[in-house]
Amino acid sequence: MRAAEKFDPEKGAKFSSYSAWWIKQSMRRALSQKSRTIRVPVASADKINKIRTAKLELKERLGREPSEAEIAEQLNLTKRTVKGLRMADFRTFSLNDPIQKGEEGSFEEIIADTNTDTPDLIIEDNENIKRVKGLVHKLEPREQRILNMRYGLDGNRPKTLEEVSQAIGRTRERVRQIQLQALKKLKDLLEDQELEKKEAMRQAKEAGTLPVNANGKVIRAAIPIEEISSDCFGYGREELLNCTAPISTLGLSSRSLNSLSRHDIRTVADLACKNDAFLLTIRYFGEKCYQEVRDSLFAFHERQFVRKRK
């Protein structure tokens, strides 16, 4: 229609030749506006096509992938513009698309849901709640009751200041004051507990004894890492310290793996060179993880070194 409206036969051109350009323009514009899930403006789409062409030309001329600065210089654009347009050129896909053609499984099965907590976070939250509940009992009865009601530590629904004030017969402001006072005491108790744990670890390290927990009790490890890393099992220390196998081969739980990975312990060698005191200072790395690491490392040693020599 546009070609018919604009066509002027007095110019001496054929209508078919004239209309072809309008048809091509309409097709390009339709592709630009309809082919992407997220619409890109026509002017930006034209620049994206120019960037693609310039990239291919520079790659052929330079023998390598051109940088954004080189593409920008070629097209007389800013580096920021080129970077933004290349970001807009990414292909979108559906979460229901198969990961690989001809095979089962879609992207929604492997992409994590950021709105839900991971098992590790759930475990950490449960441990923190358990730890707080153990310290709440050291507060005064009225403070315990208010914290239990406000935060649902007793298993019930957390209540508002108004609901708590009606339940205990105090004003909302007084409930708020008692709550802040109880939280401060709770924070001090947590800090004291951490200091006691660090002091116990320091003393255990200096004395060369088995490590103790926050309550001062000795942790009975079946196979201390120091023993596994020595010559008492009939193999050289260098064998284990030079083992580059990832710690995932030890068969550890996800909680232990994540705790160790956060401290850049990724191989068996990294783990073997750490002592007991260091491991027990890792956050959320409790006695169960401590014991699991030792048992798994001992089993790995038996499997990889002792049995092979036999």
Side-chain angles (χ1 to χ4, degrees):
M1 293 296 295
R2 187 70 171 170
E5 293 174 358
K6 292 285 186 178
F7 180 66
D8 185 359
E10 295 181 358
K11 298 288 185 179
K14 293 182 179 180
F15 178 75
S16 58
S17 301
Y18 178 76
S19 61
W21 292 101
W22 286 101
I23 294 172
K24 290 178 182 178
Q25 184 197 53
S26 299
M27 293 175 63
R28 284 195 296 266
R29 181 158 297 186
L31 287 173
S32 174
Q33 295 181 348
K34 306 295 184 181
S35 62
R36 293 183 174 89
T37 304
I38 302 174
R39 180 183 173 276
V40 177
V42 176
S44 297
D46 291 339
K47 290 180 181 178
I48 289 174
N49 291 331
K50 291 180 180 179
I51 289 174
R52 290 177 184 170
T53 304
K55 181 181 177 182
L56 293 175
E57 292 176 354
L58 288 171
K59 183 177 181 180
E60 184 177 353
R61 190 171 69 207
L62 300 174
R64 58 174 174 80
E65 288 289 335
S67 64
E68 291 178 349
E70 291 170 335
I71 296 175
E73 184 179 358
Q74 174 83 357
L75 298 176
N76 197 23
L77 298 173
T78 63
K79 183 179 177 181
R80 181 179 179 182
T81 301
V82 172
K83 184 177 181 180
L85 291 173
R86 293 185 71 180
M87 290 287 292
D89 195 28
F90 287 152
R91 185 179 70 88
T92 58
F93 58 89
S94 171
L95 291 176
N96 296 320
D97 288 347
I99 300 174
Q100 192 169 354
K101 291 184 178 180
E103 295 185 5
E104 296 182 355
S106 58
F107 286 104
E108 66 178 350
E109 297 175 359
I110 62 173
I111 296 178
D113 185 359
T114 56
N115 295 323
T116 59
D117 293 333
T118 62
D120 292 336
L121 289 177
I122 294 174
I123 292 174
E124 290 179 7
D125 289 342
N126 290 337
E127 283 204 354
N128 288 334
I129 292 173
K130 184 178 179 181
R131 185 181 177 189
V132 169
K133 285 182 177 179
L135 294 176
V136 165
H137 294 297
K138 297 182 179 181
L139 302 176
E140 296 179 4
R142 184 174 60 176
E143 295 172 339
Q144 293 182 32
R145 186 182 179 189
I146 289 177
L147 289 184
N148 286 333
M149 295 177 68
R150 285 287 287 134
Y151 297 101
L153 298 178
D154 53 359
N156 296 320
R157 175 184 63 84
K159 295 179 174 57
T160 63
L161 287 173
E162 183 65 29
E163 291 173 330
V164 176
S165 67
Q166 293 178 1
I168 67 174
R170 294 289 187 273
T171 63
R172 288 179 54 185
E173 179 59 23
R174 183 55 184 156
V175 171
R176 187 186 68 82
Q177 292 174 357
I178 297 174
Q179 176 185 326
L180 293 177
Q181 178 182 331
L183 290 175
K184 185 178 183 305
K185 289 183 180 180
L186 202 59
K187 181 180 178 182
D188 293 339
L189 289 172
L190 287 170
E191 290 178 351
D192 292 342
Q193 193 179 74
E194 287 296 324
L195 290 174
E196 291 175 2
K197 181 179 178 180
K198 290 181 180 179
E199 179 63 20
M201 294 300 102
R202 185 188 65 79
Q203 293 178 1
K205 184 177 180 180
E206 291 179 354
T209 60
L210 287 174
V212 296
N213 60 19
N215 297 322
K217 297 180 180 179
V218 175
I219 300 175
R220 301 294 180 180
I223 305 295
I225 283 184
E226 287 82 353
E227 294 183 16
I228 294 179
S229 301
S230 66
D231 294 332
C232 63
F233 286 100
Y235 67 91
R237 179 182 177 85
E238 296 299 323
E239 287 180 319
L240 199 58
L241 292 179
N242 290 331
C243 182
T244 58
I247 57 175
S248 57
T249 58
L250 298 178
L252 300 173
S253 63
S254 58
R255 180 184 175 191
S256 297
L257 284 174
N258 291 335
S259 297
L260 295 173
S261 298
R262 280 195 292 266
H263 285 72
D264 205 28
I265 301 175
R266 306 187 184 280
T267 66
V268 174
D270 294 336
L271 178 59
C273 67
K274 303 299 182 184
N275 57 30
D276 299 317
F278 175 83
L279 291 177
L280 286 172
T281 58
I282 296 177
R283 192 178 184 185
Y284 305 121
F285 194 87
E287 295 181 25
K288 290 183 179 179
C289 293
Y290 178 89
Q291 185 67 49
E292 180 192 19
V293 165
R294 277 149 184 75
D295 293 343
S296 299
L297 190 60
F298 179 69
F300 176 82
H301 150 254
E302 287 284 326
R303 185 171 63 253
Q304 295 294 323
F305 298 103
V306 176
R307 293 178 185 175
K308 287 184 178 180
R309 286 198 298 271
K310 292 180 179 179

